[in-house]
Amino acid sequence: MKNLRITVNGVAYDVQVEELGESVAPAAPAAPAKAAAPAAKPAAAAAGEPVKSPMPGTILNVPVKVGQSVKAGDVLVVLEAMKMENEIKAGRDAVIASVAVSKGESVDTGAVLVTLN
């Protein structure tokens, strides 16, 4: 092992580096991993299909309410991201099972916005 100090953007980091030579035998190939059994869906997911945020942003409008019927293409949420308004639309005809966000709220990528039944 060698102890080295590396500076990145003006910040010094002390690291240990293992020096590999030709005398080191290559690692044996790993056995293929067995396919894992599919995980059970959480109870919330079983109750409907979550519509998730495709990007981080701020909720500008939520024109739907729980129990409301929507058609494919209807706007579910208006999300502002990178100074642009993005309409998050229903991918299919459905009924709104839950609304997880409100106007003015900040969301991350993958945050559940609404759930469809």
XYZ file of all heavy atoms in Angstrom:
813
model
N 0.838 -1.181 0.000
C 0.000 0.000 0.000
C 0.879 1.239 0.000
O 1.891 1.279 0.679
C -0.898 0.043 1.238
C -1.967 -0.978 1.283
S -3.247 -0.505 0.150
C -4.628 -1.234 0.928
N 0.424 2.234 -0.722
C 1.096 3.522 -0.717
C 0.124 4.559 -0.176
O -1.057 4.532 -0.506
C 1.510 3.935 -2.132
C 2.690 3.197 -2.681
C 3.111 3.839 -3.993
C 4.376 3.190 -4.495
N 4.854 3.832 -5.704
N 0.610 5.433 0.660
C -0.179 6.558 1.142
C 0.104 7.746 0.238
O 1.260 8.115 0.035
C 0.170 6.897 2.588
C -0.287 5.821 3.542
O -1.336 5.241 3.355
N 0.510 5.550 4.555
N -0.931 8.320 -0.320
C -0.792 9.468 -1.224
C -1.718 10.583 -0.773
O -2.738 10.350 -0.135
C -1.157 9.060 -2.661
C -0.345 7.940 -3.298
C -0.962 7.560 -4.634
C 1.098 8.357 -3.489
N -1.374 11.792 -1.123
C -2.231 12.949 -0.887
C -2.599 13.488 -2.266
O -1.747 13.834 -3.059
C -1.513 14.025 -0.066
C -2.419 15.265 0.143
C -1.875 16.229 1.163
N -2.017 15.584 2.481
C -1.097 15.627 3.421
N 0.019 16.278 3.243
N -1.295 15.015 4.569
N -3.900 13.575 -2.516
C -4.415 14.064 -3.793
C -5.197 15.336 -3.512
O -6.002 15.387 -2.587
C -5.327 13.015 -4.460
C -4.524 11.734 -4.732
C -5.936 13.553 -5.736
C -5.362 10.593 -5.227
N -4.969 16.364 -4.338
C -5.690 17.626 -4.174
C -6.666 17.786 -5.334
O -6.278 17.719 -6.499
C -4.707 18.817 -4.139
O -3.766 18.591 -3.090
C -5.448 20.117 -3.897
N -7.932 17.972 -4.992
C -8.989 18.161 -5.987
C -9.682 19.472 -5.667
O -10.215 19.649 -4.569
C -10.001 16.988 -5.953
C -11.108 17.215 -6.958
C -9.306 15.662 -6.191
N -9.680 20.399 -6.619
C -10.304 21.713 -6.435
C -9.850 22.388 -5.147
O -10.640 22.960 -4.408
C -11.828 21.611 -6.450
C -12.377 21.179 -7.797
O -11.773 21.457 -8.828
N -13.499 20.495 -7.791
N -8.559 22.265 -4.831
C -8.005 22.930 -3.669
C -8.220 22.206 -2.349
O -7.800 22.680 -1.306
N -8.865 21.035 -2.373
C -9.098 20.261 -1.159
C -8.183 19.036 -1.188
O -8.199 18.266 -2.145
C -10.574 19.821 -1.041
C -10.794 18.969 0.190
C -11.485 21.029 -1.041
N -7.388 18.853 -0.136
C -6.451 17.738 -0.072
C -7.125 16.517 0.540
O -7.837 16.618 1.543
C -5.228 18.131 0.741
N -6.887 15.358 -0.074
C -7.413 14.088 0.414
C -6.252 13.127 0.604
O -5.412 12.972 -0.276
C -8.406 13.476 -0.590
C -9.621 14.313 -0.831
C -9.677 15.223 -1.878
C -10.737 14.186 -0.020
C -10.806 16.005 -2.104
C -11.874 14.954 -0.244
C -11.892 15.863 -1.290
O -13.013 16.617 -1.513
N -6.163 12.470 1.767
C -5.178 11.433 2.020
C -5.810 10.101 1.650
O -6.882 9.756 2.145
C -4.741 11.431 3.488
C -3.949 12.673 3.845
O -3.262 13.224 2.965
O -4.021 13.089 5.012
N -5.156 9.349 0.753
C -5.699 8.089 0.288
C -4.648 6.997 0.365
O -3.454 7.268 0.361
C -6.225 8.193 -1.169
C -7.402 9.136 -1.256
C -5.134 8.604 -2.116
N -5.087 5.757 0.437
C -4.202 4.608 0.359
C -4.464 3.921 -0.970
O -5.611 3.661 -1.328
C -4.461 3.626 1.488
C -3.964 4.091 2.827
C -4.106 2.989 3.876
O -4.927 2.099 3.752
N -3.288 3.083 4.905
N -3.368 3.603 -1.686
C -3.490 2.992 -2.995
C -2.701 1.692 -2.989
O -1.547 1.658 -2.558
C -2.949 3.931 -4.094
C -3.064 3.289 -5.465
C -3.700 5.248 -4.076
N -3.330 0.636 -3.453
C -2.641 -0.642 -3.556
C -1.995 -0.716 -4.925
O -2.644 -0.501 -5.949
C -3.633 -1.794 -3.385
C -2.983 -3.145 -3.426
C -3.971 -4.279 -3.196
O -5.149 -3.997 -2.930
O -3.551 -5.424 -3.293
N -0.708 -1.005 -4.939
C 0.027 -1.099 -6.192
C -0.043 -2.530 -6.674
O 0.345 -3.460 -5.973
C 1.479 -0.675 -5.972
C 2.251 -0.516 -7.251
C 3.626 0.077 -7.008
O 3.843 0.675 -5.959
O 4.469 -0.093 -7.871
N -0.581 -2.729 -7.862
C -0.721 -4.067 -8.418
C 0.390 -4.301 -9.421
O 0.639 -3.463 -10.281
C -2.083 -4.243 -9.096
C -3.308 -4.079 -8.206
C -4.579 -4.194 -9.032
C -3.316 -5.106 -7.103
N 1.035 -5.414 -9.312
C 2.080 -5.771 -10.266
C 1.631 -6.950 -11.092
O 0.530 -7.466 -10.935
N 2.501 -7.426 -11.958
C 2.157 -8.555 -12.810
C 2.101 -9.852 -12.033
O 1.556 -10.838 -12.495
C 3.150 -8.661 -13.958
C 2.992 -7.526 -14.949
C 3.815 -7.754 -16.202
O 3.728 -8.850 -16.771
O 4.531 -6.835 -16.587
N 2.660 -9.879 -10.826
C 2.657 -11.099 -10.037
C 1.286 -11.388 -9.425
O 1.048 -12.471 -8.922
C 3.708 -11.011 -8.926
O 3.373 -9.971 -8.044
N 0.392 -10.435 -9.482
C -0.936 -10.625 -8.921
C -1.789 -11.377 -9.938
O -1.905 -10.982 -11.080
C -1.591 -9.268 -8.567
C -3.010 -9.477 -8.083
C -0.757 -8.546 -7.545
N -2.364 -12.497 -9.512
C -3.201 -13.293 -10.407
C -4.510 -12.564 -10.661
O -5.060 -11.948 -9.756
C -3.470 -14.652 -9.779
N -5.007 -12.632 -11.903
C -6.291 -11.986 -12.165
C -7.401 -12.671 -11.368
O -7.333 -13.850 -11.087
C -6.504 -12.170 -13.670
C -5.606 -13.295 -14.067
C -4.468 -13.315 -13.067
N -8.393 -11.896 -11.023
C -9.516 -12.420 -10.247
C -10.292 -13.418 -11.081
O -10.445 -13.243 -12.289
C -10.423 -11.278 -9.812
N -10.758 -14.458 -10.445
C -11.568 -15.453 -11.138
C -12.900 -14.830 -11.501
O -13.429 -14.010 -10.759
C -11.781 -16.663 -10.235
N -13.437 -15.192 -12.668
C -14.735 -14.613 -13.033
C -15.801 -15.003 -12.016
O -15.805 -16.129 -11.516
C -15.036 -15.201 -14.412
C -14.078 -16.323 -14.608
C -12.933 -16.129 -13.648
N -16.647 -14.078 -11.729
C -17.705 -14.316 -10.745
C -18.765 -15.207 -11.353
O -19.036 -15.149 -12.551
C -18.320 -12.997 -10.311
N -19.357 -16.019 -10.520
C -20.450 -16.866 -10.976
C -21.650 -15.979 -11.280
O -21.861 -14.972 -10.613
C -20.809 -17.878 -9.895
N -22.424 -16.314 -12.312
C -23.577 -15.469 -12.619
C -24.548 -15.431 -11.446
O -24.766 -16.437 -10.779
C -24.219 -16.131 -13.844
C -23.589 -17.472 -13.980
C -22.299 -17.455 -13.190
N -25.084 -14.267 -11.203
C -26.024 -14.089 -10.089
C -27.350 -14.739 -10.438
O -27.785 -14.722 -11.578
C -26.232 -12.611 -9.812
N -27.968 -15.346 -9.442
C -29.283 -15.941 -9.641
C -30.318 -14.830 -9.692
O -30.184 -13.830 -9.008
C -29.616 -16.901 -8.506
C -28.749 -18.133 -8.498
C -29.165 -19.072 -7.391
C -28.287 -20.303 -7.369
N -28.651 -21.213 -6.307
N -31.309 -15.018 -10.500
C -32.367 -14.016 -10.593
C -33.123 -13.963 -9.276
O -33.501 -14.989 -8.713
C -33.335 -14.360 -11.723
N -33.301 -12.765 -8.788
C -34.023 -12.578 -7.527
C -35.520 -12.668 -7.784
O -36.004 -12.296 -8.851
C -33.687 -11.225 -6.921
N -36.219 -13.143 -6.805
C -37.679 -13.200 -6.913
C -38.217 -11.780 -6.913
O -37.678 -10.910 -6.241
C -38.256 -13.977 -5.738
N -39.234 -11.486 -7.690
C -39.769 -10.127 -7.710
C -40.260 -9.722 -6.325
O -40.867 -10.519 -5.624
C -40.923 -10.174 -8.707
C -41.128 -11.607 -9.056
C -39.956 -12.387 -8.560
N -39.946 -8.501 -5.976
C -40.354 -7.988 -4.665
C -41.856 -7.744 -4.655
O -42.447 -7.375 -5.666
C -39.621 -6.693 -4.359
N -42.446 -7.942 -3.516
C -43.875 -7.675 -3.374
C -44.113 -6.174 -3.436
O -43.310 -5.392 -2.955
C -44.373 -8.228 -2.048
N -45.212 -5.799 -4.039
C -45.531 -4.378 -4.139
C -45.960 -3.856 -2.778
O -46.666 -4.543 -2.048
C -46.677 -4.145 -5.133
C -46.284 -4.358 -6.565
C -47.448 -3.998 -7.463
C -47.096 -4.158 -8.923
N -48.202 -3.791 -9.781
N -45.540 -2.619 -2.454
C -46.034 -2.034 -1.207
C -47.546 -1.868 -1.276
O -48.124 -1.772 -2.349
C -45.350 -0.663 -1.140
C -44.301 -0.663 -2.190
C -44.615 -1.775 -3.143
N -48.201 -1.811 -0.138
C -49.656 -1.699 -0.090
C -50.146 -0.488 -0.872
O -51.148 -0.547 -1.555
C -50.126 -1.620 1.358
N -49.410 0.638 -0.790
C -49.831 1.851 -1.498
C -49.804 1.631 -3.003
O -50.677 2.087 -3.725
C -48.941 3.022 -1.122
N -48.796 0.904 -3.497
C -48.691 0.671 -4.928
C -49.812 -0.254 -5.400
O -50.284 -0.138 -6.506
C -47.328 0.086 -5.272
N -50.219 -1.196 -4.554
C -51.275 -2.120 -4.918
C -52.599 -1.380 -5.080
O -53.478 -1.825 -5.783
C -51.394 -3.209 -3.867
N -52.752 -0.249 -4.404
C -54.004 0.497 -4.446
C -54.143 1.323 -5.713
O -55.205 1.832 -5.986
C -54.110 1.408 -3.225
N -53.074 1.495 -6.477
C -53.153 2.278 -7.694
C -51.796 2.453 -8.336
O -50.792 1.923 -7.868
N -51.783 3.202 -9.423
C -50.558 3.453 -10.181
C -50.030 4.849 -9.856
O -50.693 5.840 -10.148
C -50.869 3.350 -11.674
C -49.711 3.694 -12.566
C -50.117 3.753 -14.030
O -51.205 3.269 -14.382
O -49.362 4.326 -14.811
N -48.837 4.938 -9.271
C -48.309 6.267 -8.953
C -47.819 6.976 -10.211
O -47.241 6.354 -11.093
C -47.154 5.973 -7.994
C -46.722 4.584 -8.321
C -47.963 3.869 -8.802
N -48.071 8.265 -10.287
C -47.520 9.112 -11.344
C -46.413 9.904 -10.675
O -46.665 10.649 -9.729
C -48.599 10.047 -11.942
C -47.975 10.974 -12.972
C -49.721 9.233 -12.553
N -45.178 9.705 -11.152
C -44.017 10.293 -10.492
C -43.462 11.481 -11.266
O -43.625 11.574 -12.479
C -42.932 9.234 -10.315
C -43.388 8.079 -9.435
C -42.310 7.046 -9.271
C -42.796 5.913 -8.378
N -41.755 4.908 -8.181
N -42.772 12.351 -10.543
C -42.153 13.521 -11.145
C -40.965 13.094 -12.003
O -40.089 12.384 -11.524
C -41.689 14.494 -10.057
O -41.036 15.594 -10.648
N -40.917 13.538 -13.258
C -39.800 13.162 -14.121
C -38.531 13.970 -13.845
O -37.464 13.639 -14.351
C -40.336 13.454 -15.522
C -41.308 14.561 -15.314
C -41.926 14.300 -13.964
N -38.658 15.025 -13.041
C -37.515 15.901 -12.762
C -37.794 16.704 -11.503
O -38.937 16.812 -11.079
C -37.271 16.844 -13.936
C -38.424 17.816 -14.194
S -38.349 18.646 -15.774
C -39.059 17.427 -16.853
N -36.756 17.273 -10.891
C -37.003 18.129 -9.731
C -37.638 19.441 -10.172
O -37.369 19.916 -11.278
C -35.608 18.346 -9.134
C -34.653 18.061 -10.238
C -35.331 17.121 -11.177
N -38.466 20.007 -9.310
C -39.093 21.281 -9.651
C -40.073 21.724 -8.586
O -40.113 21.190 -7.483
N -40.885 22.731 -8.955
C -41.875 23.304 -8.052
C -43.261 23.115 -8.651
O -43.471 23.372 -9.840
C -41.601 24.809 -7.843
O -40.263 24.954 -7.347
C -42.577 25.421 -6.870
N -44.204 22.688 -7.835
C -45.574 22.480 -8.303
C -46.237 23.838 -8.485
O -46.318 24.635 -7.552
C -46.378 21.639 -7.290
C -45.688 20.304 -7.003
C -47.814 21.451 -7.761
C -45.507 19.401 -8.188
N -46.710 24.110 -9.700
C -47.408 25.369 -9.993
C -48.916 25.228 -9.880
O -49.605 26.179 -9.512
C -47.057 25.870 -11.402
C -45.622 26.307 -11.640
C -45.464 26.804 -13.076
C -45.209 27.390 -10.655
N -49.437 24.031 -10.233
C -50.881 23.841 -10.219
C -51.198 22.351 -10.139
O -50.490 21.534 -10.714
C -51.507 24.440 -11.488
C -53.011 24.533 -11.414
O -53.612 24.441 -10.348
N -53.640 24.709 -12.566
N -52.267 22.033 -9.437
C -52.785 20.666 -9.371
C -54.271 20.764 -9.692
O -55.096 20.957 -8.803
C -52.566 20.036 -7.967
C -53.025 18.585 -7.971
C -51.112 20.137 -7.538
N -54.619 20.641 -10.984
C -56.013 20.849 -11.381
C -56.930 19.648 -11.164
O -58.069 19.669 -11.626
C -55.894 21.172 -12.875
C -54.659 20.475 -13.315
C -53.731 20.488 -12.134
N -56.475 18.607 -10.473
C -57.320 17.431 -10.229
C -57.564 17.246 -8.737
O -56.825 17.758 -7.909
C -56.678 16.150 -10.825
C -56.582 16.241 -12.332
C -55.316 15.879 -10.212
N -58.634 16.511 -8.431
C -58.988 16.217 -7.040
C -59.237 14.717 -6.903
O -59.548 14.035 -7.884
C -60.252 16.978 -6.655
C -60.093 18.484 -6.656
C -61.378 19.144 -6.186
C -61.404 20.636 -6.327
N -60.360 21.401 -5.780
N -59.123 14.205 -5.691
C -59.383 12.796 -5.411
C -60.805 12.451 -5.845
O -61.745 13.210 -5.602
C -59.181 12.494 -3.911
C -59.599 11.068 -3.580
C -57.734 12.723 -3.506
N -60.948 11.324 -6.531
C -62.258 10.873 -6.993
C -62.617 11.357 -8.387
O -63.578 10.875 -8.980
N -61.859 12.292 -8.920
C -62.136 12.856 -10.247
C -61.736 11.862 -11.333
O -60.690 11.228 -11.258
C -61.357 14.157 -10.419
C -61.527 14.824 -11.767
C -60.734 16.121 -11.857
O -60.392 16.730 -10.856
N -60.431 16.537 -13.077
N -62.581 11.711 -12.353
C -62.243 10.887 -13.512
C -61.414 11.715 -14.478
O -61.714 12.897 -14.709
C -63.504 10.406 -14.227
O -64.218 9.520 -13.392
N -60.362 11.105 -15.028
C -59.518 11.784 -16.021
C -59.389 10.882 -17.241
O -59.509 9.663 -17.149
C -58.117 12.121 -15.452
C -58.217 13.164 -14.350
C -57.385 10.894 -14.965
N -59.150 11.486 -18.367
C -58.932 10.780 -19.624
C -57.436 10.822 -19.950
O -56.712 11.693 -19.466
C -59.707 11.450 -20.770
C -61.200 11.514 -20.557
C -61.818 10.190 -20.875
C -63.335 10.293 -20.776
N -63.944 8.994 -20.709
N -56.987 9.911 -20.773
C -55.593 9.910 -21.216
C -55.281 11.271 -21.836
O -56.054 11.776 -22.646
C -55.360 8.803 -22.231
N -54.193 11.891 -21.407
C -53.799 13.196 -21.929
C -54.241 14.370 -21.080
O -53.785 15.496 -21.300
N -55.126 14.140 -20.103
C -55.542 15.226 -19.204
C -54.367 15.631 -18.320
O -53.578 14.790 -17.883
C -56.709 14.794 -18.317
C -58.037 14.721 -19.057
O -58.087 15.115 -20.237
O -59.017 14.262 -18.437
N -54.262 16.929 -18.026
C -53.192 17.444 -17.170
C -53.495 17.097 -15.718
O -54.571 17.404 -15.202
C -53.030 18.967 -17.341
C -51.984 19.516 -16.375
C -52.651 19.309 -18.773
N -52.524 16.460 -15.055
C -52.665 16.100 -13.648
C -51.977 17.122 -12.747
O -52.484 17.467 -11.695
C -52.055 14.716 -13.389
C -52.600 13.565 -14.224
C -51.801 12.300 -13.964
C -54.073 13.363 -13.938
N -50.784 17.571 -13.174
C -49.964 18.497 -12.393
C -49.180 19.371 -13.354
O -48.756 18.906 -14.413
C -48.975 17.717 -11.490
C -48.034 18.650 -10.752
C -49.694 16.830 -10.515
N -48.998 20.648 -12.990
C -48.111 21.528 -13.747
C -46.877 21.741 -12.877
O -46.972 22.207 -11.745
C -48.778 22.877 -14.097
C -47.810 23.762 -14.870
C -50.054 22.644 -14.900
N -45.717 21.367 -13.416
C -44.448 21.388 -12.699
C -43.499 22.376 -13.360
O -43.271 22.295 -14.565
C -43.836 19.980 -12.730
C -42.461 19.777 -12.145
C -42.513 19.882 -10.621
C -41.901 18.429 -12.549
N -42.976 23.325 -12.570
C -41.988 24.253 -13.110
C -40.599 23.678 -12.850
O -40.248 23.356 -11.712
C -42.073 25.629 -12.462
C -41.028 26.589 -13.027
C -41.015 27.930 -12.317
O -41.248 27.972 -11.098
O -40.753 28.931 -12.991
N -39.830 23.529 -13.923
C -38.458 23.040 -13.816
C -37.624 23.768 -14.860
O -38.037 23.887 -16.012
C -38.403 21.540 -14.048
N -36.509 24.291 -14.455
C -35.597 25.014 -15.350
C -36.319 26.143 -16.084
O -36.187 26.314 -17.284
C -34.938 24.047 -16.330
C -34.095 23.003 -15.643
S -33.232 21.888 -16.742
C -34.582 20.913 -17.382
N -37.131 26.895 -15.340
C -37.861 28.057 -15.861
C -38.881 27.693 -16.937
O -39.307 28.536 -17.708
C -36.890 29.101 -16.425
C -35.829 29.556 -15.476
C -36.311 30.666 -14.643
C -35.179 31.140 -13.732
N -35.576 32.082 -12.795
N -39.282 26.413 -16.987
C -40.280 25.983 -17.963
C -41.431 25.306 -17.235
O -41.225 24.623 -16.234
C -39.678 24.998 -18.976
C -38.616 25.624 -19.861
S -38.010 24.476 -21.088
C -39.474 24.220 -22.059
N -42.641 25.500 -17.736
C -43.816 24.826 -17.192
C -43.995 23.499 -17.919
O -44.076 23.460 -19.136
C -45.063 25.691 -17.368
C -45.049 26.926 -16.492
C -46.337 27.724 -16.560
O -47.360 27.199 -17.056
O -46.305 28.887 -16.108
N -44.014 22.417 -17.159
C -44.161 21.077 -17.717
C -45.487 20.499 -17.254
O -45.745 20.423 -16.048
C -43.010 20.183 -17.234
C -41.670 20.723 -17.651
O -41.255 20.555 -18.771
N -40.994 21.408 -16.736
N -46.318 20.092 -18.198
C -47.601 19.488 -17.868
C -47.400 17.986 -17.720
O -46.959 17.314 -18.649
C -48.632 19.787 -18.952
C -48.993 21.254 -19.040
C -50.033 21.541 -20.106
O -50.165 20.755 -21.085
O -50.722 22.557 -19.970
N -47.695 17.465 -16.551
C -47.636 16.024 -16.312
C -49.041 15.502 -16.588
O -49.998 15.890 -15.917
C -47.204 15.709 -14.866
C -45.946 16.493 -14.471
C -47.026 14.218 -14.675
C -44.741 16.284 -15.361
N -49.165 14.646 -17.598
C -50.471 14.215 -18.078
C -50.752 12.756 -17.743
O -49.834 11.962 -17.544
C -50.546 14.412 -19.592
C -50.381 15.862 -19.991
C -50.439 16.045 -21.484
C -50.284 17.518 -21.848
N -50.382 17.724 -23.291
N -52.029 12.426 -17.715
C -52.460 11.046 -17.484
C -52.098 10.211 -18.704
O -52.318 10.628 -19.838
C -53.961 10.998 -17.235
N -51.565 9.031 -18.448
C -51.201 8.133 -19.542
C -52.357 7.243 -19.975
O -52.279 6.572 -20.994
N -53.416 7.247 -19.184
C -54.583 6.406 -19.482
C -55.812 6.989 -18.794
O -55.698 7.853 -17.937
C -54.342 4.979 -18.987
C -54.123 4.896 -17.479
C -53.911 3.454 -17.024
N -53.617 3.344 -15.613
C -54.523 3.309 -14.643
N -55.812 3.408 -14.927
N -54.150 3.187 -13.380
N -56.977 6.507 -19.183
C -58.208 6.886 -18.489
C -58.140 6.290 -17.082
O -57.725 5.147 -16.906
C -59.436 6.325 -19.213
C -59.650 6.947 -20.588
O -58.867 7.843 -20.970
O -60.585 6.529 -21.283
N -58.524 7.073 -16.083
C -58.426 6.598 -14.703
C -59.250 7.479 -13.781
O -59.873 8.459 -14.209
C -56.969 6.611 -14.252
N -59.234 7.119 -12.502
C -59.834 7.914 -11.435
C -58.700 8.275 -10.491
O -57.847 7.441 -10.173
C -60.931 7.119 -10.692
C -61.445 7.901 -9.497
C -62.067 6.773 -11.639
N -58.672 9.525 -10.027
C -57.618 9.979 -9.116
C -57.856 9.338 -7.746
O -58.875 9.591 -7.099
C -57.608 11.521 -8.989
C -57.445 12.189 -10.352
C -56.523 11.967 -8.018
C -56.158 11.873 -11.070
N -56.882 8.494 -7.321
C -56.995 7.822 -6.022
C -56.440 8.696 -4.907
O -56.963 8.697 -3.798
C -56.248 6.495 -6.053
N -55.356 9.432 -5.203
C -54.780 10.330 -4.203
C -53.965 11.410 -4.889
O -53.481 11.228 -6.000
C -53.895 9.563 -3.210
O -52.740 9.078 -3.859
N -53.848 12.537 -4.213
C -53.018 13.649 -4.665
C -51.982 13.865 -3.568
O -52.330 14.145 -2.421
C -53.850 14.933 -4.892
C -52.953 16.090 -5.287
C -54.927 14.691 -5.947
N -50.695 13.715 -3.918
C -49.629 13.745 -2.918
C -48.896 15.083 -2.834
O -48.020 15.240 -2.000
C -48.629 12.638 -3.212
N -49.244 16.037 -3.699
C -48.541 17.327 -3.717
C -49.531 18.480 -3.706
O -50.713 18.297 -3.980
C -47.622 17.448 -4.957
C -46.496 16.430 -4.909
C -48.412 17.302 -6.247
N -49.012 19.659 -3.394
C -49.850 20.857 -3.429
C -49.075 21.995 -4.068
O -47.844 21.948 -4.185
C -50.299 21.230 -2.009
O -49.174 21.424 -1.185
N -49.796 23.021 -4.470
C -49.211 24.179 -5.139
C -48.107 24.788 -4.273
O -48.269 24.950 -3.065
C -50.309 25.216 -5.406
C -49.859 26.399 -6.204
C -51.026 27.317 -6.512
C -50.557 28.524 -7.293
N -51.655 29.414 -7.640
N -46.962 25.089 -4.912
C -45.845 25.711 -4.219
C -44.842 24.736 -3.638
O -43.750 25.120 -3.230
N -45.193 23.469 -3.597
C -44.307 22.444 -3.019
C -43.162 22.118 -3.977
O -43.339 22.055 -5.186
C -45.134 21.188 -2.756
C -44.399 20.078 -2.071
C -45.310 18.902 -1.756
O -46.547 19.053 -1.741
O -44.764 17.805 -1.543
N -41.973 21.900 -3.431
C -40.816 21.450 -4.218
C -40.781 19.931 -4.197
O -41.018 19.316 -3.155
C -39.516 21.993 -3.633
O -39.453 23.385 -3.792
N -40.480 19.333 -5.351
C -40.407 17.883 -5.457
C -39.090 17.475 -6.115
O -38.499 18.233 -6.868
C -41.586 17.288 -6.264
C -42.896 17.510 -5.552
C -41.636 17.850 -7.666
N -38.657 16.262 -5.811
C -37.462 15.685 -6.428
C -37.876 14.735 -7.542
O -39.029 14.326 -7.615
C -36.639 14.911 -5.393
C -35.943 15.820 -4.396
O -35.543 16.936 -4.790
O -35.808 15.426 -3.223
N -36.925 14.341 -8.347
C -37.170 13.343 -9.377
C -37.677 12.063 -8.718
O -37.136 11.625 -7.705
C -35.875 13.040 -10.144
O -35.380 14.248 -10.713
C -36.098 12.019 -11.239
N -38.738 11.507 -9.253
C -39.290 10.256 -8.727
C -40.307 10.423 -7.609
O -40.884 9.446 -7.166
N -40.540 11.663 -7.174
C -41.550 11.877 -6.128
C -42.930 11.568 -6.686
O -43.252 11.923 -7.811
C -41.483 13.312 -5.634
N -43.758 10.900 -5.883
C -45.123 10.594 -6.312
C -45.934 11.884 -6.300
O -45.968 12.604 -5.312
C -45.767 9.527 -5.409
C -47.226 9.310 -5.782
C -44.996 8.220 -5.485
N -46.585 12.177 -7.422
C -47.414 13.369 -7.554
C -48.878 13.038 -7.283
O -49.525 13.668 -6.465
C -47.248 13.973 -8.955
C -45.809 14.310 -9.364
C -45.758 14.737 -10.825
C -45.234 15.372 -8.464
N -49.391 12.061 -8.009
C -50.757 11.574 -7.839
C -50.763 10.061 -8.026
O -49.806 9.508 -8.569
C -51.766 12.230 -8.826
C -51.835 13.713 -8.651
C -51.430 11.882 -10.257
N -51.830 9.430 -7.585
C -51.993 7.992 -7.790
C -53.290 7.775 -8.555
O -54.317 8.365 -8.220
C -52.037 7.234 -6.451
O -50.848 7.548 -5.721
C -52.115 5.751 -6.664
N -53.197 6.937 -9.594
C -54.365 6.641 -10.441
C -54.909 5.257 -10.107
O -54.167 4.327 -9.832
C -53.960 6.664 -11.913
C -53.313 7.927 -12.453
C -52.918 7.731 -13.917
C -54.237 9.118 -12.296
N -56.252 5.118 -10.155
C -56.910 3.815 -10.036
C -57.452 3.446 -11.390
O -57.728 4.229 -12.215
C -58.044 3.848 -9.028
C -57.548 3.513 -7.640
O -56.466 2.982 -7.468
N -58.356 3.829 -6.667
